[in-house]
Amino acid sequence: AILRYCFQPDNFIFYSVNINHHIVKYQKLYTVYILYSFSAAKTYVGYTSDLARRLFEHNNNVIGYTRSYRPWVLMYHENFKNKSDAIRREKFFKTGVGRERIKEIKNKFFNKYNNTSCRRFSATADRPSTADEPTTADGPTPQTPINT
């Protein structure tokens, strides 16, 4: 495939020729993202031009603040055509009004999964059951003591 670049002030556009010899236009997008750490119940706001790479870096590389609270999951993201718009939105999320918006996003995030995948389990409910141990949807059933 032929790949040509057309640089513009704040972003750039890729032009390529696909297998059917059609010209395809790809515009680079900037993403504002909000990550959530279940281990610390913390959020992190940032922006990037490659969300998958950045999420990998937060979870695997040594990156300042986020290193201590791994693993991180993507809770929310927004795409922008201009880098300046993405930076403006990131700064908004770091204001008082933006923090309130993050709380709303977090509530929707938890409600989406009906709190089942987001709750913290106790050590006994988290362990797998053995074959002779009856189970319920919430984990092993409590055994009644046998009086002898």
Side-chain angles (χ1 to χ4, degrees):
I2 300 170
L3 192 60
R4 301 185 193 273
Y5 301 96
C6 175
F7 287 95
Q8 294 181 351
D10 211 7
N11 55 5
F12 57 89
I13 298 173
F14 294 103
Y15 292 97
S16 69
V17 179
N18 67 10
I19 196 166
N20 297 323
H21 302 286
H22 295 110
I23 295 176
V24 181
K25 178 180 173 180
Y26 300 98
Q27 185 167 7
K28 183 176 184 177
L29 294 176
Y30 295 90
T31 304
V32 175
Y33 59 92
I34 302 174
L35 303 179
Y36 185 76
S37 168
F38 288 109
S39 63
K42 292 189 177 284
T43 57
Y44 177 84
V45 178
Y47 82 94
T48 184
S49 60
D50 186 350
L51 184 58
R53 175 190 55 82
R54 193 68 176 133
L55 184 58
F56 178 83
E57 288 175 352
H58 282 297
N59 282 316
N60 296 294
N61 296 345
V62 178
I63 300 178
Y65 173 81
T66 60
R67 176 184 60 210
S68 302
Y69 306 112
R70 292 182 285 188
W72 293 92
V73 294
L74 181 64
M75 184 170 69
Y76 180 80
H77 73 283
E78 293 178 8
N79 293 322
F80 296 90
K81 290 182 180 179
N82 298 317
K83 184 177 180 180
S84 58
D85 291 341
I87 292 171
R88 191 176 302 115
R89 186 64 169 170
E90 178 195 16
K91 287 183 179 180
F92 164 76
F93 279 126
K94 293 180 179 181
T95 65
V97 177
R99 289 286 174 197
E100 290 299 316
R101 177 73 178 116
I102 290 174
K103 287 179 186 177
E104 294 171 11
I105 291 169
K106 188 169 28 171
N107 288 336
K108 286 181 184 178
F109 177 72
F110 285 116
N111 289 338
K112 180 179 178 182
Y113 297 103
N114 199 19
N115 292 332
T116 54
S117 63
C118 303
R119 66 179 180 205
R120 294 184 182 196
F121 294 97
S122 66
T124 56
D126 225 7
R127 69 178 171 81
S129 61
T130 58
D132 59 346
E133 193 175 355
T135 61
T136 65
D138 295 329
T141 57
Q143 300 294 322
T144 56
I146 301 172
N147 295 331
T148 56

